[in-house]
Amino acid sequence: MAAEKNDWLAGSQGRGQGREGARGAPRLPPTRQESEAAAADRAAHREARERRDALVRGVVSIGAMREAIKAAARTLPAISQVPRVKAPGTAAFRARAAQGLPFLVTGVVDRWPLAGLTVQALRDHYSHLPVRARVGDYINTAFAPDRAMRDMSLLEYLDLAAAGTDGLPPYLGNLELRELNRLCHWPSYFDKMGPPRFWLGPAGTVTPLHCDYDDNVFAQVWGTKRIMLAPPHHDEFLYPNEANAILFGSPFDPEAPDFDRFPLARQAATIECIVNPGDMLYVPAGWYHQVRSLTFSLSSNRWARAMPLALRGGAGLRAAR
């Protein structure tokens, strides 16, 4: 299930063929019947995926879960900063997460072997790893099916990042790097979690505003990042676009707000959170977040694959067994 959030991140593999066929003859536009068939196929694929996602999370439907998350968020108190707590046990973490608000956990990530690694150690021991880098304008194409990506080795990426660029720096995001998993000791805060995903890049890399309808723990291993947060029920002010049933993006940039283009966003409550090396941020399901690297950073996250903790058991949402 790790691929479900990564579908919108993958680069297209059929680029470069243009509008002409193999023999150079212009292609005819698709017939109406073909277009309708393609639309029907996409709808069927989406329905099948939503059923699968709901089954994994044990809910009657993803749509019902999304609405329940937003309804619960309307009862949340307003907060102006994200609190820090010292390495809670599983029961204490779940009790706090059930309140539906983000918080930072300290005293966990800084003990990981990965935290003691250096960039030179990545070069020395992991340079062969195949990676897929986000290149070009990966902010404005974040939710496009054919965003620009480039396959390379980790060493090639580190060299590319070190060379610098006038535009957005290249970014390794949402990657499974299984060779690094043994260097991370994740606490058992959730009964069922997706695999670790890794994020590596210099200052200036950005993941634009979006929300995942799964609970998320985000570990800052090296460096510092700024994360802008907004509660789930404020999606009505954020002009959301659906990437899939559990992932929604927003064109609004809370770091450089354009209220002429997005006037409703004036009503959205945003919170700035700085995550430092060793911090672990809990992002409750449905909370919008935008992530910017302030320094060269290595981060890792995991999404839960279960009923969000803020729903407190989800009365009426659980699928019959």
Side-chain angles (χ1 to χ4, degrees):
M1 296 304 295
E4 62 189 12
K5 286 194 175 68
N6 208 31
D7 288 352
W8 62 277
L9 298 173
S12 66
Q13 298 179 356
R15 246 177 242 169
Q17 294 182 356
R19 292 183 175 271
E20 294 189 349
R23 299 181 184 276
R27 291 180 178 173
L28 295 175
T31 65
R32 178 178 176 82
Q33 290 78 11
E34 287 172 332
S35 296
E36 290 176 349
D41 183 66
R42 285 194 298 273
H45 176 77
R46 171 178 168 160
E47 290 176 7
R49 178 174 176 166
E50 288 195 29
R51 287 195 299 270
R52 182 188 68 214
D53 290 342
L55 179 65
V56 167
R57 291 158 183 80
V59 297
V60 291
S61 79
I62 296 298
M65 185 182 76
R66 289 198 311 260
E67 293 308 310
I69 288 170
K70 287 187 279 189
R74 291 187 177 94
T75 68
L76 294 175
I79 60 173
S80 58
Q81 61 183 6
V82 176
R84 293 175 175 268
V85 298
K86 181 70 174 178
T90 297
F93 176 92
R94 293 180 181 181
R96 183 156 198 140
Q99 298 173 17
L101 294 168
F103 57 91
L104 285 159
V105 172
T106 62
V108 175
V109 180
D110 50 3
R111 299 179 181 178
W112 291 359
L114 186 60
L117 225 59
T118 63
V119 175
Q120 188 59 48
L122 288 183
R123 288 179 173 273
D124 293 342
H125 302 292
Y126 301 98
S127 61
H128 63 285
L129 295 181
V131 298
R132 176 165 288 181
R134 305 179 187 187
V135 295
D137 184 6
Y138 52 80
I139 295 179
N140 289 316
T141 61
F143 304 101
D146 60 346
R147 68 184 301 173
M149 309 284 270
R150 189 186 304 170
D151 292 328
M152 60 186 72
S153 69
L154 180 57
L155 179 59
E156 289 171 321
Y157 170 75
L158 291 172
D159 287 342
L160 183 65
T165 177
D166 291 335
L168 281 170
Y171 193 18
L172 298 187
N174 205 5
L175 296 183
E176 286 192 54
L177 299 175
R178 295 176 183 174
E179 291 84 351
L180 301 184
N181 288 353
R182 64 184 178 82
L183 304 177
C184 305
H185 300 158
W186 293 90
S188 55
Y189 290 150
F190 305 107
D191 291 331
K192 184 163 54 172
M193 300 178 75
R197 317 295 292 195
F198 291 91
W199 311 75
L200 177 69
T205 60
V206 177
T207 300
L209 193 63
H210 68 285
C211 79
D212 313 286
Y213 280 95
D214 281 322
D215 285 334
N216 180 9
V217 281
F218 179 90
Q220 186 66 8
V221 183
W222 312 334
T224 302
K225 288 185 172 179
R226 177 168 59 233
I227 301 183
M228 304 298 295
L229 296 155
H233 61 301
H234 284 198
D235 67 334
E236 61 189 307
F237 309 131
L238 294 174
Y239 304 84
N241 299 308
E242 181 175 347
N244 59 57
I246 56 172
L247 173 63
F248 285 71
S250 168
F252 177 67
D253 181 355
E255 294 179 292
D258 185 344
F259 295 123
D260 291 332
R261 287 183 62 199
F262 307 109
L264 293 178
R266 292 181 183 277
Q267 302 175 68
T270 58
I271 306 162
E272 178 183 297
C273 176
I274 302 298
V275 290
N276 295 309
D279 286 344
M280 177 180 285
L281 176 65
Y282 168 63
V283 183
W287 274 74
Y288 279 80
H289 49 291
Q290 177 164 300
V291 185
R292 177 182 295 274
S293 296
L294 302 179
T295 66
F296 194 94
S297 292
L298 172 64
S299 313
S300 184
N301 84 295
R302 298 183 76 175
W303 287 285
R305 295 289 187 264
M307 183 82 69
L309 293 173
L311 295 182
R312 299 178 177 85
L317 283 177
R318 289 202 174 274
R321 293 180 180 269

